Amino acid sequence: MPTSQPRLFSFNAFIPSEHAVNLAAFESEPLAPPPQGEPPARPGRGAGWWRYASPAAAYPWAGALASGLGPLGAVLLAIGLFIGLALAPTDAQQGEAYRILFVHVPTAWLAMVIYLAMAGWAALGLVMGTRLSFMMVQALAPTGALMAFLCLVTGALWGQPTWGTWWVWDARLTSVLILLFLYVGYLALHGAIEDPVRADRAGALLVLVGAVNIPVIHYSVRWWNTLHQGASVQLAAAPTLATPMLLALLVSTAGLWLWAASVVLRRLRNVLLRRERHSAWVSALPEVLP
Amino acid sequence: MSMAAFSEPTLSQWLAMGGYGFYVWSSVGSVLAALVAERVAVAWQRKQRLAALREAREAAEDARAAQAEWPRPGGGETRP
């Protein structure tokens, strides 16, 4: 005998409001039971994960994650910088100036990783039509832009004492500058279009097209003869850094990334509050009550 | 070589960073300041959003209350 099952998620949470489907018409018809011999769908796996993509579900989990990741990131960043600035040995070639590495490299890696994450969310949003994906792109972009900017600033402060110049039109530096322009371009484009659905889609396309710049940044020091040094840490090869230097770099990177994740999740909550302001779940939030 | 070469650096020596103090501390300071500023900006944005939502909620409740009062006993014939 067929029995009705609770719906795990609402389709309307993932599509633009003007395309919302009236699911009430299907309510009276119970879902067919699974054929004999096949295991029933287990909650929490497969389609069950989609329930966390609903804006109403994302708001609390983003807050809980942000509260945990922020302090953890701050502690790790402090430990990493302490090891890097106070305990790691002096570099034989660059002296103490090399210690800029402990802030420059984490910001550079994060600027690229955030862009890749934006491209992934943008692709997911365009293919699946999930609103939360576009909101994630919107929340990631300012932090990515900040990291690209900090990477360029710290790079200039490192370049002056070691290369004798603040800036050169080197392949690595120029491609990171293009990355900053891509971030700023996304923010400007998204802000300029009034209709949020069109803004999301146009911004996602720009992000996807600009993703071609990420491998260019990574391989620029191999493809061209550049002033910028090669990678000190690679996945497929032993690092060229001494152990305390490597430890400081990895810990400060982990700290910065966790801190940035916390800020992005907090910004995601702000984006949710703004874009879902007419929803009943926003009006029912305890922090909105007078 | 004297033993002084192996002694612990003083605070002022450490801050000087072998003559590169300006570059090293400017880099670290700018990154930390930007991280804190971004976090404060997000918190301020949240405060603004919540205030706007509360204001909209109160306006909606006032409008509902005014609607419930209508028509007033002995009041006018048309709605304002």
Side-chain angles (χ1 to χ4, degrees):
Chain A
M1 183 176 130
T3 55
S4 64
Q5 297 176 356
R7 208 168 53 240
L8 291 177
F9 65 95
S10 165
F11 287 102
N12 287 343
F14 307 109
I15 56 179
S17 55
E18 64 265 31
H19 300 138
V21 179
N22 179 16
L23 290 171
F26 305 97
E27 291 285 305
S28 57
E29 191 173 332
L31 295 172
Q36 293 295 324
E38 284 186 23
R42 282 179 289 177
R45 297 190 65 184
W49 284 100
W50 286 98
R51 65 185 159 188
Y52 298 111
S54 150
Y59 186 84
W61 69 245
L65 263 180
S67 301
L69 294 180
L72 183 61
V75 169
L76 283 178
L77 186 59
I79 293 172
L81 288 180
F82 177 72
I83 298 172
L85 295 171
L87 302 182
T90 306
D91 185 68
Q93 290 181 332
Q94 298 189 25
E96 307 290 352
Y98 95 95
R99 294 186 196 277
I100 297 172
L101 170 128
F102 301 117
V103 287
H104 175 71
V105 172
T107 53
W109 283 346
L110 190 54
M112 290 193 288
V113 166
I114 286 180
Y115 199 90
L116 285 178
M118 282 174 63
W121 284 112
L124 188 67
L126 287 174
V127 172
M128 306 292 290
T130 49
R131 285 183 299 152
L132 188 68
S133 304
F134 294 123
M135 293 182 202
M136 279 300 296
V137 178
Q138 198 180 345
L140 281 162
T143 299
L146 180 66
M147 291 303 143
F149 177 73
L150 288 174
C151 171
L152 291 171
V153 168
T154 54
L157 285 164
W158 197 357
Q160 175 62 20
T162 52
W163 299 341
T165 180
W166 301 99
W167 178 265
V168 285
W169 290 102
D170 176 281
R172 171 61 70 85
L173 276 67
T174 307
S175 53
V176 173
L177 182 64
I178 291 171
L179 179 66
L180 176 62
F181 289 160
L182 283 168
Y183 277 123
V184 174
Y186 167 81
L187 290 169
L189 179 67
H190 197 276
I193 301 175
E194 205 167 316
D195 178 13
V197 177
R198 285 183 58 225
D200 284 342
R201 292 185 178 277
L205 278 176
L206 175 64
V207 169
L208 285 176
V209 171
V212 74
N213 188 43
I214 299 300
V216 172
I217 294 173
H218 183 71
Y219 291 108
S220 59
V221 289
R222 293 189 198 174
W223 292 345
W224 292 284
N225 185 20
T226 66
L227 192 57
H228 195 284
Q229 68 185 59
S232 302
V233 180
Q234 297 178 52
L235 290 176
T240 57
L241 292 171
T243 304
M245 298 178 186
L246 182 64
L247 179 69
L249 179 60
L250 295 180
V251 173
S252 57
T253 299
L256 182 68
W257 286 25
L258 292 179
W259 176 270
S262 165
V263 173
V264 166
L265 288 170
R266 288 181 192 281
R267 188 180 294 112
L268 175 67
R269 281 160 63 89
N270 291 350
V271 171
L272 283 164
L273 284 179
R274 178 173 173 77
R275 295 183 61 164
E276 299 288 312
R277 62 188 180 278
H278 300 304
S279 304
W281 70 267
V282 170
S283 304
L285 287 172
E287 54 263 46
V288 176
L289 297 175
Chain B
M1 187 179 286
S2 69
M3 288 300 291
F6 299 101
S7 62
E8 290 290 319
T10 62
L11 181 64
S12 59
Q13 282 175 325
W14 179 66
L15 290 174
M17 285 282 167
Y20 298 109
F22 168 75
Y23 302 103
V24 173
W25 294 117
S26 297
S27 299
V28 175
S30 60
V31 169
L32 294 181
L35 293 180
V36 171
E38 187 191 22
R39 176 69 183 84
V40 170
V42 170
W44 180 82
Q45 191 183 39
R46 175 175 169 79
K47 197 176 168 185
Q48 298 292 107
R49 296 269 157 88
L50 288 175
L53 284 169
R54 278 190 212 105
E55 200 175 316
R57 186 191 173 90
E58 283 169 11
E61 281 175 0
D62 289 348
R64 268 198 299 273
Q67 195 78 8
E69 282 178 14
W70 195 269
R72 296 193 183 94
E77 293 80 15
T78 55
R79 284 170 184 263

